[in-house]
C-alpha cells in the first residue's frame, strides 16, 4: 500500500468509526430509555480484537471511547505500549487459560471471562502476589452449550459464595454470550434469564462482591440485551468494521 493510499484508507476508516459510534450511541441511549433507565446507565465497550492501535487510538482520542475490551492476552499485551490509555478502562473479555493469568493480572482492571473456580483461584493468587485487587465477572453459559465455557446457570450462586471468599479480587457482576438465535423473543429470553440471575446475585452481600455489571450484548444483539437489563454492551465490528484476521 502506498503512502497516499494508506493515508486515504486511514481517513476513510476513521470517518466510518466516528459515524458508527454516533449511530450506536444513539441506539444504546434509546434502548436504555425504553428499558426505564438513563442513557448514561449503559456503558458501551469498544471491542478491539484484531483492530490496529492506530484506529483504537482514533476512537479514544477523537470519539470519546473510554472503555475497551480485548479477547486475547497476547494481543492486548502486544498492543498496549502503543495505546493512548490515559483515562481508559481496559477489560479482558475472551477465554482465559490458567497459565496466562499471571501475564494479564495487573494489566487490565477487569477480567470478564472468569469461567471456572480454577481460574478465579489463580487470579486471586496472582493478584495477591503482586499486591493488586482484580475485578472479575463470572461468565455464565446461559445456553448450556457444550462448545462454550462458563458456569452453568444453576451453579452460579454456589460459585459466587466460594469465589467471594478469595482474597485480592472483587466480583463485579456477570457476563454472557447467548446462543445464536434467529427469533428475537428466544434471544431476549436468554437475556431475561441473565438479568434475573444478576438481580439474585446482587442480593448477596459478602465483603468482596460489588455486583453492578451485567455484561451482555454484542454487535448483532446489543439493543435487545439492553432492553432486558444489560448495563454494559461489548461492540466490536459494528464500530471498527469487519475483522481482518
Amino acid at each position: 500500500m502506498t503512502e497516499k493510499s494508506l493515508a486515504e484508507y486511514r481517513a476513510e476508516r476513521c470517518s466510518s468509526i466516528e459515524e458508527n459510534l454516533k449511530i450506536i450511541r444513539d441506539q444504546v441511549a434509546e434502548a436504555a430509555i425504553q428499558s426505564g433507565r438513563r442513557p448514561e446507565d449503559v456503558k458501551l465497550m469498544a471491542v478491539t480484537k484484531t483492530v490496529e492501535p492506530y484506529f483504537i487510538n482514533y476512537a479514544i482520542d477523537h470519539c470519546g471511547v473510554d472503555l475497551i475490551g480485548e479477547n486475547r492476552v497476547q494481543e492486548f499485551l502486544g498492543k498496549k505500549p502503543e495505546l493512548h490509555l490515559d483515562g481508559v478502562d481496559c477489560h479482558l473479555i475472551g477465554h482465559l487459560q490458567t497459565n496466562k493469568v499471571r501475564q494479564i493480572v495487573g494489566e487490565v482492571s477487569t477480567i470478564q471471562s472468569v469461567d471456572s473456580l480454577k481460574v478465579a483461584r489463580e487470579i486471586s493468587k496472582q493478584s495477591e502476589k503482586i499486591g493488586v485487587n482484580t475485578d472479575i465477572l463470572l461468565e455464565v453459559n446461559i445456553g448450556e452449550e457444550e462448545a462454550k465455557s462458563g458456569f452453568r446457570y444453576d451453579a452460579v450462586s454456589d460459585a459466587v459464595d466460594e469465589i467471594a471468599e478469595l482474597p485480592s479480587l472483587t466480583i463485579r457482576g456477570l457476563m454472557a454470550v447467548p446462543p445464536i438465535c434467529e427469533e428475537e423473543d428466544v434471544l431476549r429470553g436468554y437475556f431475561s434469564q441473565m438479568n434475573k440471575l444478576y438481580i439474585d446475585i446482587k442480593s448477596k452481600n459478602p465483603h468482596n462482591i460489588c455486583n453492578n455489571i451485567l455484561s451482555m450484548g454484542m454487535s448483532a444483539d446489543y439493543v435487545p440485551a439492553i432492553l432486558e437489563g444489560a448495563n454494559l454492551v461489548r461492540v466490536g465490528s459494528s464500530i471498527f468494521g469487519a475483522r481482518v484476521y
Side-chain angles (χ1 to χ4, degrees), residues 4-69:
K4 182 178 179 181
S5 62
L6 175 60
E8 289 173 345
Y9 164 71
R10 283 179 166 178
E12 289 174 4
R13 190 167 177 191
C14 286
S15 177
S16 177
I17 289 168
E18 194 166 353
E19 183 60 31
N20 290 343
L21 277 165
K22 287 178 183 175
I23 293 168
I24 292 165
R25 283 170 171 151
D26 285 346
Q27 292 175 335
V28 167
E30 184 178 345
I33 291 167
Q34 286 183 29
S35 68
R37 292 172 290 167
R38 301 170 300 169
E40 58 266 32
D41 291 334
V42 181
K43 293 183 179 180
L44 172 62
M45 168 182 282
V47 176
T48 55
K49 180 180 179 181
T50 77
V51 181
E52 300 164 56
Y54 182 91
F55 299 110
I56 301 170
N57 287 334
Y58 184 85
I60 291 168
D61 296 338
H62 299 281
C63 305
V65 165
D66 60 4
L67 175 61
I68 66 170

Side-chain angles (χ1 to χ4, degrees), residues 174-222:
L174 304 176
M175 183 267 260
V177 180
I180 296 171
C181 302
E182 294 184 5
E183 298 177 13
E184 185 169 321
D185 60 338
V186 176
L187 177 64
R188 287 185 64 163
Y190 286 118
F191 289 141
S192 176
Q193 281 183 280
M194 279 299 303
N195 192 35
K196 289 174 183 174
L197 182 60
Y198 169 72
I199 291 168
D200 288 344
I201 299 301
K202 202 173 180 67
S203 67
K204 293 177 177 286
N205 198 31
H207 71 282
N208 62 345
I209 290 183
C210 178
N211 190 48
N212 58 4
I213 299 176
L214 179 55
S215 172
M216 57 186 191
M218 300 187 293
S219 286
D221 57 13
Y222 61 86

Side-chain angles (χ1 to χ4, degrees), residues 59-116:
I60 291 168
D61 296 338
H62 299 281
C63 305
V65 165
D66 60 4
L67 175 61
I68 66 170
E70 188 60 70
N71 289 70
R72 298 187 180 100
V73 170
Q74 292 308 125
E75 184 175 350
F76 176 71
L77 295 179
K79 291 174 180 176
K80 190 177 182 183
E82 298 181 59
L83 299 179
H84 303 167
L85 295 178
D86 285 348
V88 177
D89 196 14
C90 302
H91 293 198
L92 183 76
I93 62 173
H95 177 67
L96 178 60
Q97 295 174 310
T98 310
N99 62 1
K100 296 286 180 68
V101 170
R102 179 181 58 81
Q103 298 173 48
I104 199 65
V105 162
E107 299 290 341
V108 295
S109 69
T110 304
I111 298 172
Q112 291 204 12
S113 46
V114 175
D115 58 10
S116 69

Side-chain angles (χ1 to χ4, degrees), residues 92 94-102 104-105 110-129 132-139 149-151 155-156 158-174 208-209:
L92 183 76
H95 177 67
L96 178 60
Q97 295 174 310
T98 310
N99 62 1
K100 296 286 180 68
V101 170
R102 179 181 58 81
I104 199 65
V105 162
T110 304
I111 298 172
Q112 291 204 12
S113 46
V114 175
D115 58 10
S116 69
L117 294 172
K118 182 180 179 182
V119 169
R121 292 186 188 110
E122 187 65 17
I123 293 169
S124 172
K125 174 184 172 182
Q126 297 300 332
S127 298
E128 192 169 30
K129 187 179 292 186
V132 301
N133 189 85
T134 302
D135 289 344
I136 66 169
L137 305 186
L138 303 192
E139 182 176 357
S149 56
F151 292 95
V156 173
D158 287 343
V160 167
D161 290 340
E162 188 162 347
I163 293 170
E165 298 299 319
L166 299 173
S168 299
L169 56 74
T170 302
I171 300 171
R172 291 290 305 277
L174 304 176
N208 62 345
I209 290 183

